[in-house]
């Protein structure tokens, strides 16, 4: 179906959020931020773990670095499992209790990484952590988007998704403080994960159950409809596989521009001398500020341009940035600029996703549907870091970045263009698969 610009509509009066809406959103934002914080703690300390001769047990550092890359893969592999378990649970019993259990799981596993004696134990903990991380996004996004007024989903979608970038930013700052400034061993950084997670748990305990979920359950009881009836609807299944492909491209775009980048900055193949760990980490801080900026701007813009047009715009603008993102030869300043702008575009596209996926999900399976499609995409993209490391080993980090990022930006554009959207839909109105269009909906009836 060809793209057409959405019809303009009168901007609705902005109604302040209620205390429950604010608490629900803050809890979702904190949960996803702390999830990402734990995940990127591993990313920022990979080089230090590889240099720890006691931990690697006599394995050559170069070989161990390749094996260590599978620590991130272990997390990504288990995220669909967590999305499935916690998503189905949340669709049956509500959002609150599964979210509380989830935050306890991933914070405990993250903190226990501090005492992992070897790579095997670290891998096991990251497998378990992946289950918690997989459950967090889908349930948090479902609860937040079900609470937020439809006309404001775009902005809050961008803000929620950039909890991921905020978590990366906090992980980078933690590394600067505890490793570069205080010269503490990498293990101490993992201990930090328990503190903010407990704050998230405290906020989450004050959140009320989703009214949309409660209404959906009442309708299902009245019509004797089961989750299975909706889950196995032909249109729901077709849309499910499409969204998995879209999320595969999105996750490859995100991880492809982030996971290997700290090591690229410390390498010598970007046209100059290798950057120090401190300089590289400050660049990570800068490009995560860009990510947060992009999510907020383009998430809000998606309310006017539509979800798909906004995603396509961001991915298209990312393509001409490749030279200064991956091939800069003029020092740290140019690299920082290229990384900043790239993350504005990458996370600008991602800022649309919480609203887009939840709007494309039937009410009765919104705990399951967005999270599982997102995390299955993560699973299919989970070999990104090992592949980039293998390519970099033979051709350098610049080639590894460009040869993986360019194709995936094109894939995001194509997959988004052939899809549909359901911007502005009111949740809780139907048990059937939602009507999705390539243009904005007419304003819903009161």
């Amino acid at each position: 179906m060809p793209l057409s610009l959405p019809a303009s509509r009168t901007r609705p009066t902005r109604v302040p959020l209620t205390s429950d809406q604010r608490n629900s959103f803050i809890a979702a934002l904190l949960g996803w931020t702390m999830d990402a914080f734990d995940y990127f703690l591993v990313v920022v300390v990979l080089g230090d773990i590889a240099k720890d001769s006691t931990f690697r047990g006599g394995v050559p550092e170069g070989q161990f670095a390749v094996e260590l890359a599978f620590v991130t893969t272990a997390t990504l592999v288990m995220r669909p499992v967590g999305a499935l378990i916690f998503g189905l649970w949340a669709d049956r019993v509500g959002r609150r209790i599964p979210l509380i259990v989830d935050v306890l799981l991933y914070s405990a596993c993250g903190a226990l990484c501090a005492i992992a004696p070897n790579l095997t134990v670290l891998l096991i903990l990251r497998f378990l952590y992946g289950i918690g991380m997989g459950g967090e996004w889908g349930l948090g996004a479902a609860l937040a988007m079900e609470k937020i007024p439809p006309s404001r989903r775009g902005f809050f979608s961008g803000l929620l998704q950039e909890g991921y970038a905020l978590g990366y930013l906090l992980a980078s700052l933690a590394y600067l403080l505890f490793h570069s400034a205080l010269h503490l061993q990498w293990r101490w950084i993992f201990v930090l994960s328990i503190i903010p997670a407990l704050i998230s748990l405290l906020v989450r305990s004050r959140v009320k159950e989703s009214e949309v979920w409660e209404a959906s359950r009442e309708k299902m009881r009245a019509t004797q409809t089961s989750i299975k009836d909706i889950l196995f609807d032909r249109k729901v299944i077709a849309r499910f596989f499409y969204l998995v492909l879209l999320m595969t491209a999105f996750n490859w775009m995100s991880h492809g521009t982030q996971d290997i980048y700290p090591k690229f900055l410390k390498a010598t193949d970007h046209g100059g001398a290798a950057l120090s760990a401190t300089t590289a980490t400050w660049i990570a801080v800068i490009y995560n500020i860009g990510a947060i900026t992009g999510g907020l701007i383009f998430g809000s813009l998606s309310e006017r341009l539509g979800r798909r047009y906004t995603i396509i715009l961001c991915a298209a603008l990312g393509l001409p940035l490749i030279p200064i993102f991956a091939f800069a030869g003029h020092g740290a300043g140019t690299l920082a600029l290229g990384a900043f702008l790239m993350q504005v575009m990458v996370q600008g596209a991602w800022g649309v996703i919480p609203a887009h996926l939840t709007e494309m999900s039937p009410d009765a399976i919104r705990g399951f549907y967005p999270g599982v499609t997102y995390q299955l995409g993560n699973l299919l993209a989970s070999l990104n870091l090992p592949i980039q490391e293998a390519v970099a080993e033979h051709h350098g980090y610049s080639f590894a970045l460009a040869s993986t990022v360019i194709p995936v930006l094109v894939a995001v554009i194509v997959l988004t263009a052939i899809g549909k959207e359901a911007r502005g839909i009111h949740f809780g109105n139907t048990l059937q698969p939602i009507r999705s269009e390539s243009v904005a909906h007419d304003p819903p009836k009161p």
Side-chain angles (χ1 to χ4, degrees):
M1 183 179 294
L3 292 171
S4 57
L5 284 171
S8 61
R9 353 178 235 186
T10 303
R11 184 174 297 178
T13 303
R14 180 166 295 183
V15 179
L17 299 184
T18 66
S19 59
D20 181 52
Q21 289 172 332
R22 285 195 301 271
N23 286 338
S24 299
F25 181 80
I26 291 171
L29 177 62
L30 284 174
W32 187 227
T33 298
M34 293 308 102
D35 227 341
F37 175 75
D38 277 343
Y39 175 80
F40 281 106
L41 282 179
V42 173
V43 173
V44 299
V45 300
L46 278 177
D48 298 286
I49 297 174
K51 292 177 182 178
D52 189 334
S53 58
T54 303
F55 187 80
R56 70 173 187 263
V59 179
E61 185 176 335
Q63 176 186 339
F64 189 72
V66 175
E67 296 175 0
L68 193 60
F70 283 92
V71 168
T72 60
T73 302
T75 299
L76 299 179
V77 164
M78 296 306 291
R79 281 167 69 167
V81 178
L84 177 64
I85 294 172
F86 284 99
L88 290 176
W89 187 18
D91 284 331
R92 290 188 178 276
V93 306
R95 318 302 191 208
R96 290 185 68 255
I97 299 303
L99 277 167
I100 290 173
V101 173
D102 179 74
V103 73
L104 289 172
L105 173 63
Y106 77 68
S107 59
C109 291
L112 287 172
C113 289
I115 58 174
N118 51 50
L119 181 58
T120 300
V121 175
L122 184 62
L123 279 170
I124 292 172
L125 288 171
R126 299 317 287 182
F127 270 116
L128 295 173
Y129 170 77
I131 295 175
M133 189 173 192
E136 173 63 40
W137 187 90
L139 301 196
L143 181 62
M145 294 298 105
E146 286 173 344
K147 296 275 189 178
I148 295 296
S151 62
R152 302 184 69 183
R153 282 191 201 126
F155 171 78
F156 284 101
S157 173
L159 182 56
L160 173 61
Q161 186 59 33
E162 294 327 307
Y164 183 82
L166 180 58
Y168 193 172
L169 175 62
L170 292 175
S172 300
L173 291 173
Y175 183 86
L176 285 171
L177 175 61
F178 287 88
H179 183 273
S180 301
L182 300 180
H183 305 292
L184 296 177
Q185 193 187 32
W186 60 266
R187 294 180 181 276
W188 285 99
I189 297 178
F190 284 106
V191 178
L192 298 174
S193 64
I194 196 70
I195 301 172
L198 291 176
I199 298 174
S200 172
L201 183 63
L202 178 63
V203 174
R204 188 160 286 170
S205 66
R206 303 174 60 187
V207 172
K208 297 178 182 178
E209 188 53 80
S210 166
E211 295 85 353
V212 171
W213 174 82
E214 290 175 337
S216 175
R217 295 299 292 176
E218 287 299 320
K219 290 179 182 178
M220 290 177 71
R221 292 189 188 99
T223 58
Q224 296 184 337
T225 305
S226 69
I227 290 176
K228 182 179 178 180
D229 294 332
I230 298 172
L231 187 60
F232 288 98
D233 178 275
R234 181 176 58 84
K235 291 182 179 179
V236 172
I237 293 175
R239 189 186 303 133
F240 178 87
F241 284 108
Y242 162 74
L243 291 175
V244 169
L245 285 177
L246 181 64
M247 288 298 96
T248 300
F250 259 82
N251 280 292
W252 199 289
M253 175 177 68
S254 178
H255 291 289
T257 57
Q258 290 178 336
D259 291 5
I260 204 174
Y261 209 71
K263 293 190 72 174
F264 158 70
L265 292 172
K266 299 172 190 175
T268 58
D269 68 346
H270 50 70
L275 302 178
S276 68
T278 300
T279 301
T281 306
W282 274 115
I283 292 177
V285 171
I286 291 170
Y287 66 66
N288 276 290
I289 293 174
I292 296 168
T293 303
L296 294 177
I297 291 174
F298 288 102
S300 299
L301 193 60
S302 73
E303 289 297 341
R304 299 184 63 185
L305 294 183
R307 311 301 186 210
R308 294 190 307 139
Y309 268 104
T310 304
I311 292 170
I312 291 170
L313 176 64
C314 290
L317 290 176
L319 287 169
L321 296 174
I322 294 295
I324 60 171
F325 171 72
F327 292 98
H330 304 290
T334 304
L335 287 168
L337 175 64
F340 175 88
L341 293 175
M342 179 61 78
Q343 291 308 315
V344 167
M345 300 310 161
V346 169
Q347 296 304 320
W350 264 106
V352 181
I353 290 301
H356 187 44
L357 289 191
T358 53
E359 288 170 339
M360 294 289 282
S361 302
D363 291 328
I365 54 172
R366 191 168 289 114
F368 161 86
Y369 203 78
V372 174
T373 54
Y374 181 172
Q375 303 303 352
L376 281 176
N378 250 319
L379 175 62
L380 294 176
S382 63
L383 291 177
N384 165 73
L385 183 56
I387 288 174
Q388 285 186 315
E389 286 283 10
V391 173
E393 184 74 17
H394 295 92
H395 303 286
Y397 284 100
S398 291
F399 183 83
L401 284 166
S403 63
T404 54
V405 174
I406 291 175
V408 83
L409 288 173
V410 174
V412 167
I413 293 171
V414 172
L415 287 169
T416 304
I418 65 175
K420 296 181 180 181
E421 68 178 70
R423 173 168 58 96
I425 191 171
H426 275 217
F427 296 151
N429 289 340
T430 178
L431 287 176
Q432 300 304 315
I434 62 173
R435 179 172 63 90
S436 58
E437 305 292 347
S438 61
V439 297
H441 285 171
D442 294 330
K445 295 179 182 179

